[in-house]
Amino acid sequence: MSTLFRTHSRKIFEYWKASPLLASKLPILNEIDLAYQRGSWAVCLPAALPLLDFLIREYYAANKHDVSIGTLCAAFKNAKVFPKDLKPGYAVWTGRENPEQGNALARSEDEDLRIIGVFLSSFLEFANIYYAPFKPKSEIPAVLNRHAILHGRTEYWNCEYVSKMLTFFDLTLRLQLALEVLIHGANAPWLRTSRPG
């Protein structure tokens, strides 16, 4: 994964810098890009963290700093929608085999989310792990954890974890339209502006 990210990193950083949504964050993106190219892993992680929550605040159209990826995870949990429910086909098939393990979204394969479901499922699965509670004195989680990074756990300061964080950031940015529909429904900003009249 780290090799793939490095191979495509130039195009990925260019995509981020060209995003109108991130125009005000260009200085931070430039710093992350430079730190990544230099292998300054300890700089990349804490610099990328606020950008993730910034994206979610933008998707929610909220100026409050208490809106974050955790807010979105909680909304999915309250709606009883889990990563498995978003996977195309999988949840429907499982639901047929065992209705208690089924999903809250699709009753048939024709109703599932198809390819966007793959991306949304990955996003939600990683977001739930990323925002999982962490106690500073506990064992370091095997997967990336926002709170552990903020508590200064240096075990995350390497190319592998930075690649995971930046890949997650990229996924979050590319899911803008889908996440806005999930947050706002038919009132998603891009739907309102694309409607005639």
Side-chain angles (χ1 to χ4, degrees), residues 1-61:
M1 182 174 159
S2 298
T3 303
L4 281 172
F5 188 89
R6 168 122 358 234
T7 300
H8 300 285
S9 63
R10 184 57 33 229
K11 288 182 182 177
I12 293 169
F13 280 110
E14 286 172 8
Y15 174 76
W16 297 350
K17 292 174 187 180
S19 170
L21 192 64
L22 295 171
S24 67
K25 305 301 179 189
L26 201 52
I28 298 171
L29 291 173
N30 286 330
E31 290 294 327
I32 294 170
D33 186 2
L34 183 61
Y36 178 80
Q37 300 310 325
R38 291 180 174 171
S40 299
W41 313 126
V43 175
C44 291
L45 288 172
L49 287 173
L51 290 179
L52 279 164
D53 288 333
F54 168 79
L55 288 179
I56 299 303
R57 281 194 302 279
E58 289 294 304
Y59 300 165
Y60 268 94

Side-chain angles (χ1 to χ4, degrees), residues 133-141 145 147-148 150-153 155:
F134 174 75
K135 295 178 182 175
K137 292 183 180 178
S138 67
E139 288 276 325
I140 186 159
N145 182 280
H147 295 100
L150 293 176
H151 283 288
R153 296 302 293 255
E155 296 92 338

Side-chain angles (χ1 to χ4, degrees), residues 111-158:
E111 295 175 356
D112 73 18
L113 297 175
R114 297 288 152 205
I115 192 69
I116 196 67
V118 174
F119 299 123
L120 286 169
S121 178
S122 292
F123 169 83
L124 186 56
E125 191 169 337
F126 192 82
N128 284 332
I129 295 167
Y130 161 78
Y131 254 82
F134 174 75
K135 295 178 182 175
K137 292 183 180 178
S138 67
E139 288 276 325
I140 186 159
V143 292
L144 200 57
N145 182 280
R146 174 186 186 270
H147 295 100
I149 293 167
L150 293 176
H151 283 288
R153 296 302 293 255
T154 59
E155 296 92 338
Y156 289 121
W157 296 356
N158 61 52

